[in-house]
Amino acid sequence: MSHIDLESAPADRPPSLLRSVGLGYFLIAFFARVPFAMMVVGVLTIVATARGSISAAGMSSAAVGVGTACFGALLGAAADRFGQRPVLIVVATANALLMVAFAAVVYSDAPDLAMYAVAFTVGATAPQVAPMSRARLVGMIDRITRPERRPRIVSSTMAYESAADETVFVLGPFVVGILAAGLAPWAPLVGAAVLTMAFVVAFALHPTARRARNTGHDSQLASPIRELFRARVLVIVIGIFGVGLFFGNTLTSLTSFMADRGAAESAGVMYGVMGIGSAIFALGVSILPARFTPRARWVVFAAVMLLGSTLVATADSIVTMVVALGLVGIGIGPTIVTQYSFGAAASPVGRSTTVMTMLGSGVIVGQSFGSALTGQIAETLGTPAALLLPALAAAVVLGSGIVNARLYRPVLR
């Protein structure tokens, strides 16, 4: 396990980190995440529109998630071994071409099975920008800061990264909706391909990629693969899978909720209520008192998620739903920050990018599975049944937080 002690008090990220990586890095890393956030929703949108089948759309988005689950962590391991730059350039090029190919297959006479196969490859080649950015920044913090300051800086950096993710996961579906409605159903995937070639490649070529290559990639220094399957790592992966599941369940059930009221196109705006609050409270983690430990934070804020999800399940008006989503936002942002901070602490030596990629893959896999499952339930059992699923996902997050607290009790005070 790494040396990071999560129980130290958080603080704002110092200027030295900004000077070390440059403001341009944060802008590039932010926009390079957008295609990843557009991918699942873009696939869902084009299939549902072009082939007129919600079931096929759900299966396609699930295939994207399966592809990410199978290869996301392997891409992280390759980056730990060979460096982020060559891995990102290869997968960015492949992913951009495959998104365009998927759009072509959807509009062709190819059978659904072929469409699912291409969707799988889209997920398999998805550039893991967010986890690789976290790994770069944690490595930079290790080099430029004194040991006693590292825990607080890592906590603040994870808060920023999580807020960026929250913003992107709200922005992504919104951009998909605008492009699909304003141009054509294929436009979101083509747009994502263009953004991938522009910003993911720029992220790969940024000087911080070379520095990441020089940190912990040497296979002779890296911990054995089996260290990735320790309970302390797996419980974090399960917890963040629950967050992704929650995203998928919430967006899809909210779409059904608004469709029942004749305003399905407004679901993204409603979803943004949760995302904006989540981003704000994620940044607020840096000012929480030291006595409010990360073990407790995960449990408490996951409980807030569960409470808000209960209100979502019982909402009978748009006003009630807005209040419920606002409450959920209070809980979900700090929960994600805490999970990634534990991920940084639990990363075996030389495997930080792999662990961060496992966590990033957990989000997209959970979102894909949640969207597909909730869509099927909404179509067969109705909106009230679909609105129950976010609470189940929140229960997964809370349960894993409780297990995590017990696992870390002997180590973290």
Side-chain angles (χ1 to χ4, degrees):
M1 183 184 298
S2 71
H3 57 268
I4 298 173
D5 177 8
L6 292 179
E7 300 300 330
S8 299
D12 290 335
R13 177 166 48 81
S16 57
L17 180 60
L18 179 60
R19 287 198 303 267
S20 298
V21 301
L23 177 61
Y25 170 82
F26 291 98
L27 295 176
I28 291 170
F30 178 84
F31 286 106
R33 302 169 201 243
V34 175
F36 193 79
M38 295 172 64
M39 191 170 57
V40 172
V41 182
V43 166
L44 192 71
T45 300
I46 189 173
V47 176
T49 304
R51 298 217 169 184
S53 172
I54 297 296
S55 176
M59 287 294 294
S60 297
S61 63
V64 173
V66 172
T68 303
C70 291
F71 288 92
L74 293 178
L75 295 178
D80 278 329
R81 178 66 181 87
F82 303 108
Q84 292 187 12
R85 178 169 294 173
V87 172
L88 279 169
I89 290 175
V90 171
V91 298
T93 303
N95 189 247
L97 293 174
L98 286 166
M99 281 191 284
V100 175
F102 180 80
V105 169
V106 171
Y107 282 101
S108 72
D109 295 328
D112 287 352
L113 187 60
M115 186 171 63
Y116 303 151
V118 180
F120 175 87
T121 64
V122 169
T125 57
Q128 304 290 322
V129 172
M132 289 189 185
S133 177
R134 286 178 169 88
R136 287 190 198 186
L137 294 178
V138 169
M140 182 69 69
I141 290 168
D142 283 348
R143 286 192 299 275
I144 67 174
T145 62
R146 297 189 302 272
E148 65 272 15
R149 297 182 61 196
R150 288 172 188 161
R152 294 183 295 178
I153 299 172
V154 167
S155 180
S156 294
T157 302
M158 293 300 105
Y160 163 75
E161 288 284 301
S162 297
D165 284 344
E166 287 291 314
T167 304
V168 165
F169 270 97
V170 173
L171 179 64
F174 178 76
V175 172
V176 168
I178 292 295
L179 292 176
L183 295 176
W186 50 261
L189 288 181
V190 174
V194 172
L195 288 174
T196 296
M197 291 306 300
F199 288 101
V200 177
V201 171
F203 179 76
L205 296 176
H206 194 273
T208 54
R210 181 175 291 113
R211 296 172 193 170
R213 172 75 173 93
N214 293 329
T215 303
H217 75 278
D218 190 336
S219 60
Q220 293 182 343
L221 301 178
S223 299
I225 293 291
R226 64 176 179 274
E227 293 295 311
L228 296 172
F229 299 95
R230 297 177 62 192
R232 286 179 180 168
V233 176
L234 293 180
V235 72
I236 304 167
V237 175
I238 293 171
I240 209 157
F241 169 81
V243 170
L245 192 65
F246 183 87
F247 284 150
N249 290 344
T250 302
L251 179 58
T252 308
S253 61
L254 182 60
T255 300
S256 181
F257 177 86
M258 296 303 294
D260 290 347
R261 286 155 179 77
E265 68 281 359
S266 300
V269 177
M270 295 282 287
Y271 187 72
V273 172
M274 181 185 76
I276 293 171
S278 180
I280 292 172
F281 278 89
L283 290 172
V285 168
S286 62
I287 63 174
L288 292 175
R291 62 181 178 274
F292 189 13
T293 66
R295 285 182 296 150
R297 285 206 308 260
W298 185 339
V299 174
V300 169
F301 286 111
V304 173
M305 283 178 61
L306 183 57
L307 177 60
S309 302
T310 303
L311 293 179
V312 167
T314 58
D316 57 0
S317 69
I318 292 179
V319 173
T320 307
M321 183 61 77
V322 168
V323 173
L325 292 172
L327 181 59
V328 167
I330 294 174
I332 198 166
T335 300
I336 296 174
V337 171
T338 305
Q339 289 172 330
Y340 272 109
S341 295
F342 272 109
S347 298
V349 174
R351 302 289 183 184
S352 61
T353 305
T354 306
V355 171
M356 291 299 176
T357 307
M358 289 169 65
L359 299 183
S361 297
V363 174
I364 199 70
V365 171
Q367 184 191 32
S368 299
F369 180 74
S371 297
L373 176 64
T374 308
Q376 292 295 322
I377 289 180
E379 196 170 83
T380 57
L381 300 179
T383 300
L387 288 173
L388 295 173
L389 296 181
L392 294 178
V396 171
V397 179
L398 177 59
S400 60
I402 293 171
V403 173
N404 178 77
R406 294 183 64 85
L407 289 173
Y408 272 84
R409 187 180 302 249
V411 178
L412 300 179
R413 302 296 181 185

